[in-house]
Amino acid sequence: MNDVSPLVDAAVPGLPTATVVLKPKRARPFFGRHPWVLDSAVAKVEGGPADGDVVDLTTHDGHFVARGLWNSQSRIRVRLYAFDAATKLDDALWRGRIAAAVALRRSLGLDDRTGAARLVNSEGDDLSGLIVDRYGEYLAVQVTALAMAVRLETICDALDAEVAPRGILLRGAERGLAKLEGLALADRLIRGTAPSGPIFVVEHGLKFGVDLAEGQKTGYYLDQRDNRQAAARHARGRRVLDMFCYSGGFAVACAVSGGARSVLAIDTSEKAAALARANAGLNGAANVTVEAVDAFEKLDALAAAGERFGMIVLDPPKFARSRAAVDDALRAYHRINRVAVGLLEPGGILVTCSCSGSVTRDHFHQMLSGVAQRAGRSIQILESRGAAADHPVSVSCLEGEYLTCVIARVP
Ligand code: SAH
């Protein structure tokens, strides 16, 4: 117990140790409650805050704007957590925010101990830099900000109090992100016990094995939970292709909930393919075939062979890692969607996703318009969806809205 990060300081104070002064005319986003103060907006720092300390943010002429946590190693110099001077950033605040986040999931009906849900979604729960996913009796915590890393013990106490998990596992932040924050966190068990192998969670009545220790993200793609069911509603009797299937979420939903005729699921990772096969078996879906091959090559091979599908799911990894990469990403999305449309029989269903935050929903719809033009076929958007409700997005930080899932019909 309590074997947490060496960064932990039990006596992290809740009141500011320094003042961060903004450049003139740079305060507006923060009056608008945006939580990220970039280094380029900062004029000077009064006092010598240590990384993770509480600081006050002021305008260039000394007016209070907000209160946040300092990190000299990140381009996000200050993450803001309160917009009034009366709120202390102390343990009680973190506990209260975590309790509120957990209560929201309870009200969404996502507190079933056999299921899985995102309990804390960073800015969406006013806890910038903290992600907590619950898989049955276990929690996977991901910290993407040093400010949260130094408060891990308080966070775990709050999670213990709110959900009493069997174990809390720390999953390292995405490598790039961790480097940006100056974080060095290895994956490890931080509270309780770890599961001895994969665990099983129920999603909309389907069972999925999740590898908490080694799986992608924190083990599973919870954000697509409701999109899998939405896709499955169109699958009846169809031949389905699930591209970038990971552990087979869409494939199993289409086969079992949706009544697809057959499903071909593709992922380049052998591990993912094995998980998908196991998950198909677990749900008695004998008509799911999984191949561990490259999706781009497979799409071309299927097209060359003149294959046709009644439904195609495209859920690729993030194509755009930054704003500068948006054009390249849109070209890549265009390419796979163009090939997929060519593989669809008349009246076929295209379920096409982007988890690139810098590719907006508008960009994505425009990309599909380009595909329709090139393919010489209409594309009807039936639904344009986002992440499930346990992934709330703060209107003050729309950067948190990263997932687009379009369900379209191609006449
Ligand atoms: N649809 C999945 C999530 C997909 S995540 C779900 O519902 O859970 C994206 C997946 O794409 C990852 O599993 C990754 O292994 C896979 N991937 C990445 N590059 C690939 C490629 N070139 N060909 C096939 N799969 C690829």
Side-chain angles (χ1 to χ4, degrees):
M1 270 253 315
N2 292 1
D3 167 33
V4 284
S5 159
L7 291 165
V8 164
D9 174 354
V12 184
L15 285 167
T17 60
T19 302
V20 175
V21 182
L22 288 165
K23 292 179 182 165
K25 300 205 178 116
R26 299 299 290 270
R28 180 183 279 199
F30 315 114
F31 284 126
R33 306 176 71 88
H34 197 283
W36 303 338
V37 184
L38 300 186
D39 55 353
S40 56
V42 173
K44 62 177 174 188
V45 182
E46 292 167 351
D51 289 339
D53 273 2
V54 178
V55 295
D56 273 354
L57 185 72
T58 71
T59 58
H60 72 286
D61 52 357
H63 293 288
F64 177 89
V65 180
R67 185 162 287 162
L69 302 177
W70 171 255
N71 184 358
S72 66
Q73 300 174 67
S74 173
R75 211 163 70 83
I76 303 178
R77 281 299 146 88
V78 186
R79 286 179 191 260
L80 301 174
Y81 298 90
F83 296 88
D84 64 274
T87 302
K88 284 191 214 160
L89 305 191
D90 57 7
D91 288 358
L93 179 99
W94 309 117
R95 290 203 186 106
R97 296 245 166 119
I98 286 171
V102 171
L104 167 62
R105 279 60 180 187
R106 215 171 279 137
S107 77
L108 293 170
L110 291 170
D111 57 345
D112 170 1
R113 303 293 284 186
T114 65
R118 175 149 296 187
L119 298 185
V120 178
N121 193 39
S122 201
E123 288 80 13
D125 287 295
D126 290 332
L127 285 165
S128 180
L130 178 66
I131 287 171
V132 182
D133 290 335
R134 184 173 59 73
Y135 294 101
E137 306 270 10
Y138 296 92
L139 300 183
V141 170
Q142 221 182 339
V143 285
T144 56
L146 183 139
M148 291 292 114
V150 300
R151 288 164 178 78
L152 255 185
E153 192 155 354
T154 304
I155 290 163
C156 288
D157 285 346
L159 291 170
D160 266 337
E162 291 301 320
V163 288
R166 275 205 198 165
I168 304 180
L169 291 99
L170 183 67
R171 292 297 312 265
E174 275 182 59
R175 215 164 297 147
L177 260 179
K179 223 168 121 194
L180 287 177
E181 282 283 320
L183 274 173
L185 295 177
D187 288 6
R188 68 209 159 87
L189 177 72
I190 43 178
R191 288 280 171 99
T193 56
S196 49
I199 62 160
F200 298 94
V201 296
V202 178
E203 172 183 292
H204 291 300
L206 304 171
K207 241 180 154 184
F208 289 96
V210 178
D211 185 349
L212 277 186
E214 291 187 15
Q216 297 181 17
K217 274 205 166 178
T218 63
Y220 186 69
Y221 291 86
L222 293 167
D223 49 359
Q224 295 277 30
R225 180 193 308 111
D226 297 342
N227 297 336
R228 296 186 183 110
Q229 286 299 304
R233 286 196 278 276
H234 299 278
R236 185 149 308 275
R238 295 187 191 264
R239 182 185 186 206
V240 176
L241 176 63
D242 178 8
M243 276 291 174
F244 309 95
C245 68
Y246 184 48
S247 55
F250 281 98
V252 173
C254 289
V256 181
S257 314
R261 175 153 52 91
S262 65
V263 183
L264 174 60
I266 304 293
D267 200 289
T268 185
S269 149
E270 292 278 358
K271 263 192 181 169
L275 271 173
R277 267 182 218 117
N279 284 332
L282 207 56
N283 292 281
N287 59 351
V288 175
T289 308
V290 187
E291 288 179 27
V293 291
D294 179 81
F296 302 91
E297 288 172 16
K298 185 70 185 181
L299 278 170
D300 289 342
L302 290 167
E307 300 271 358
R308 287 292 174 272
F309 293 87
M311 177 167 169
I312 299 179
V313 179
L314 297 176
D315 185 17
K318 210 188 270 184
F319 282 166
R321 300 229 155 245
S322 68
R323 230 169 266 175
V326 168
D327 286 345
D328 285 347
L330 284 169
R331 269 190 288 277
Y333 286 119
H334 178 100
R335 182 172 174 274
I336 57 169
N337 280 277
R338 169 75 190 85
V339 181
V341 163
L343 286 170
L344 277 176
E345 60 197 28
I349 299 289
L350 178 66
V351 179
T352 179
C353 311
S354 158
C355 58
S356 307
S358 32
V359 170
T360 65
R361 190 172 296 274
D362 271 1
H363 283 140
F364 201 67
H365 291 171
Q366 289 299 333
M367 177 279 296
L368 287 173
S369 159
V371 169
Q373 183 184 341
R374 290 298 290 270
R377 287 174 81 174
S378 301
I379 299 180
Q380 302 168 291
I381 296 177
L382 307 182
E383 293 185 60
S384 188
R385 307 173 55 97
D390 53 339
H391 295 62
V393 176
S394 164
V395 293
S396 312
C397 186
L398 292 171
E399 290 87 342
E401 193 176 29
Y402 63 93
L403 183 66
T404 303
C405 171
V406 171
I407 302 181
R409 183 170 169 275
V410 184

